[in-house]
Amino acid sequence: TAVKIEPAYPHGVVYVPDASRAVGVAGQLLSAEHKPGYLQQIREEYQQVRQRRSQKNAARALVSIEEARANALPTDWSQYTPPAPKRPGLHVLEPDLETLLPWIDWTFFFHAWQLRGRYPRILDDTDKGEEARKLFADAQAMLRQIIDEQWLEARAVIALYPAQRHGDDVRVDDGQNAWTFHFLRKQTRQPEGKYNECLADFIAPHDSGKADWLGAFACTAGLGIDAHIARFEADHDDYSALMLKALADRLAEALAEWLHAQVRRKYWGYAADEQLDNEAIIAERYQGIRPAFGYPACPDHTEKDTLWNLLDAEANTGIWLTESKAMVPTAAVSGVYFSHPQSRYFAVGAIGRDQMEDYARRKGMDLPVLERWLGQNLAYEPGEGG
C-alpha cells in the first residue's frame, strides 16, 4: 500500500490489517475535523515505509567494502608518472569580471528561471524564445552595470601540494603542515568491466614510488552582493534581486571554469598546449576533474573543513562556512583538483553500514553524527543493529 498504491492516489489510502480496526479508521475519515491531520500522519508514515524499503533494496545491491576495494579502478602506476606543478604552492587570484564573461554558461542561467533549453538555441525557441530574449537582454544590461559600477568582486585561492594515497584517504603535505581528505567508495555491485571507484584511486599510492599532487580551490564572485540585494529588496524590486543573484551564481561558475583552465595550462601546467573553445569547455573535454564536497563523488560536506584549513579560505577569499557547511557568499564554488587522465566524475550512491563504520573511524567522528550528514546515502536504517 505504501510503496505502490498511496503515491498514485492523491485522496488518501489507508491499509488496515484486520476488520476490527476498520471502524476507528472510518471514523477518522468521516470526521471533517480529524481527517486532514489523520491523512497527513498516514502520508508521513508511508513515506518512512518507502524510505526503509528503498534502503533495504539498496542494501541488497551492495557488496562489502572489502569487495568494493578489491574492484577498485585498476591503474598501472609503474607506467604512469604524475605531472609535477610548474607553480606549486598557494596562490590568491583576483581576476576582473570582464575576464570571466566568455566563460559564462548561459544555459544554466535560463534553467534558474525555469526556462529549459540550451543556449543559444533557446533564444529562437517557438514557445520560450520571446521570454528568453527579454530575460537575456535584461541580464546583459545588469551585467554591464555590475562591471561598470563595480558591484561585485571576484576572488580565488588555489593550492597545489604533494599528495599520497593511503587506502581511501589522500594525505596532503606542504612541507610544514599536513591534511587528510577522506573519500567514500562506490559500493553498489558493478557489472563486468565496471569498477567500484573512489576519488582516492586517482592519486598514486604511498608505496608506489611515485610522487603525486592534489589541487584545491575556493572562489567567489559574490563579494559585495549583500548591499545591492538589500537595496533592491528595500525598493520591493524582487526581479532585480533575483537577477543579481542569478548573475552572481553564473559569474562564480565562470570563475571556477576559468580558474581550472589556469591551473591546467599554467599553474599545474599538465595541459599547457590545451586549445578548447567554450563549447568544449562546457562539455568538460579536458583532462582532470574538480569535484566539490557535497556532490555525488564526494557527498560528505564535513570535508570542507579540511579544505578551508588547507586553503585558509576565509582569510584569502572572504568565503566562510555556515554550521551546515554552506558557503557565504552563496555565489561561490570550491573543491579539489585531480590531474590523472582516468579521473572522472561518478556518484558514490548507496553506502553500507560497514563502510560507514570504517569511514567514521578514519575521520575520528562519531558514527551517528556522520549518519546525519550522509543520511541520503545510507543503505540502512541508522540505529538498527547488524
Side-chain angles (χ1 to χ4, degrees):
T1 302
V3 174
K4 294 183 179 180
I5 303 174
E6 195 267 346
Y9 186 71
H11 306 295
V13 178
V14 184
Y15 169 69
V16 184
D18 59 71
S20 66
R21 302 186 187 181
V23 174
V25 171
Q28 294 275 24
L29 295 176
L30 289 170
S31 168
E33 178 184 355
H34 295 118
K35 178 180 178 180
Y38 178 67
L39 285 181
Q40 181 60 33
Q41 179 185 345
I42 291 292
R43 291 189 185 100
E44 291 173 359
E45 290 176 1
Y46 286 3
Q47 176 58 34
Q48 292 175 2
V49 170
R50 289 193 291 273
Q51 184 175 350
R52 287 196 295 271
R53 174 66 64 86
S54 175
Q55 289 168 338
K56 289 178 180 177
N57 289 340
R60 283 196 290 269
L62 298 187
V63 297
S64 70
I65 187 57
E66 289 80 10
E67 291 177 272
R69 286 169 178 159
N71 189 45
L73 180 74
T75 301
D76 186 356
W77 291 99
S78 66
Q79 300 298 313
Y80 176 75
T81 299
K86 289 180 168 53
R87 301 185 187 184
L90 187 142
H91 308 272
V92 177
L93 296 83
E94 298 182 2
D96 60 78
L97 297 183
E98 197 84 46
T99 300
L100 306 180
L101 296 186
W103 300 84
I104 293 177
D105 182 353
W106 286 104
T107 293
F108 285 97
F109 168 79
F110 291 106
H111 287 187
W113 295 89
Q114 303 302 312
L115 288 175
R116 299 291 170 177
R118 290 190 63 81
Y119 173 83
R121 291 197 300 271
I122 192 173
L123 299 178
D124 298 317
D125 186 271
T126 304
D127 298 322
K128 297 173 267 189
E130 182 177 354
E131 185 179 356
R133 287 191 296 274
K134 180 184 182 303
L135 194 65
F136 190 59
D138 291 346
Q140 294 300 312
M142 180 175 281
L143 193 55
R144 180 42 52 194
Q145 199 170 9
I146 289 170
I147 294 172
D148 290 347
E149 299 178 15
Q150 299 180 334
W151 287 7
L152 302 177
E153 179 185 351
R155 195 176 301 161
V157 58
I158 61 172
L160 299 167
Y161 291 141
Q164 292 182 326
R165 174 187 166 192
H166 292 259
D168 291 346
D169 296 337
V170 174
R171 296 181 187 172
V172 182
D173 192 331
D174 70 352
Q176 294 180 314
N177 303 289
W179 305 268
T180 299
F181 287 107
H182 307 278
F183 295 110
L184 289 159
R185 183 171 294 280
K186 188 188 296 184
Q187 211 173 339
T188 50
R189 190 178 303 279
Q190 299 298 304
E192 189 71 28
K194 300 294 183 180
Y195 304 102
N196 292 89
E197 296 152 303
C198 173
L199 287 174
D201 294 346
F202 305 133
I203 297 292
H206 68 97
D207 57 359
S208 66
K210 296 294 179 75
D212 207 343
W213 301 73
L214 184 76
F217 76 98
C219 63
T220 179
L223 298 174
I225 194 173
D226 290 344
H228 298 285
I229 294 296
R231 173 166 55 86
F232 287 133
E233 290 178 346
D235 291 339
H236 305 289
D237 188 354
D238 293 337
Y239 177 71
S240 293
L242 290 170
M243 178 65 75
L244 179 55
K245 291 176 183 177
L247 288 174
D249 288 344
R250 286 300 91 216
L251 286 167
E253 293 290 346
L255 173 56
E257 200 70 82
W258 173 85
L259 195 64
H260 196 183
Q262 301 308 301
V263 168
R264 295 192 305 272
R265 300 169 186 176
K266 185 164 64 174
Y267 290 89
W268 206 325
Y270 62 82
D273 299 325
E274 176 186 280
Q275 296 291 332
L276 298 174
D277 59 21
N278 196 44
E279 183 177 343
I281 291 288
I282 291 172
E284 298 171 349
R285 296 187 193 130
Y286 44 72
Q287 179 180 325
I289 57 173
R290 58 170 190 277
F293 293 111
Y295 282 76
C298 42
D300 181 8
H301 283 279
T302 69
E303 288 293 298
K304 286 179 186 170
D305 289 333
T306 302
L307 181 66
W308 249 243
N309 288 332
L310 184 153
L311 294 169
D312 197 6
E314 186 169 350
N316 285 319
T317 66
I319 311 169
W320 55 278
L321 298 176
T322 68
E323 288 185 0
S324 61
K325 310 306 176 189
M327 293 178 287
V328 181
T330 56
V333 185
S334 64
V336 285
Y337 294 126
F338 293 86
S339 68
H340 196 282
Q342 288 179 277
S343 62
R344 72 178 196 95
Y345 297 103
F346 58 89
V348 166
I351 305 167
R353 186 187 299 275
D354 57 349
Q355 180 168 193
M356 280 300 296
E357 290 175 346
D358 175 80
Y359 189 63
R361 283 194 298 270
R362 284 154 48 200
K363 284 176 68 73
M365 289 179 67
D366 291 336
L367 179 61
V369 174
L370 273 174
E371 286 175 334
R372 287 194 292 273
W373 282 103
L374 290 161
Q376 73 280 2
N377 291 89
L378 301 184
Y380 64 94
E381 190 73 19
E384 292 184 355

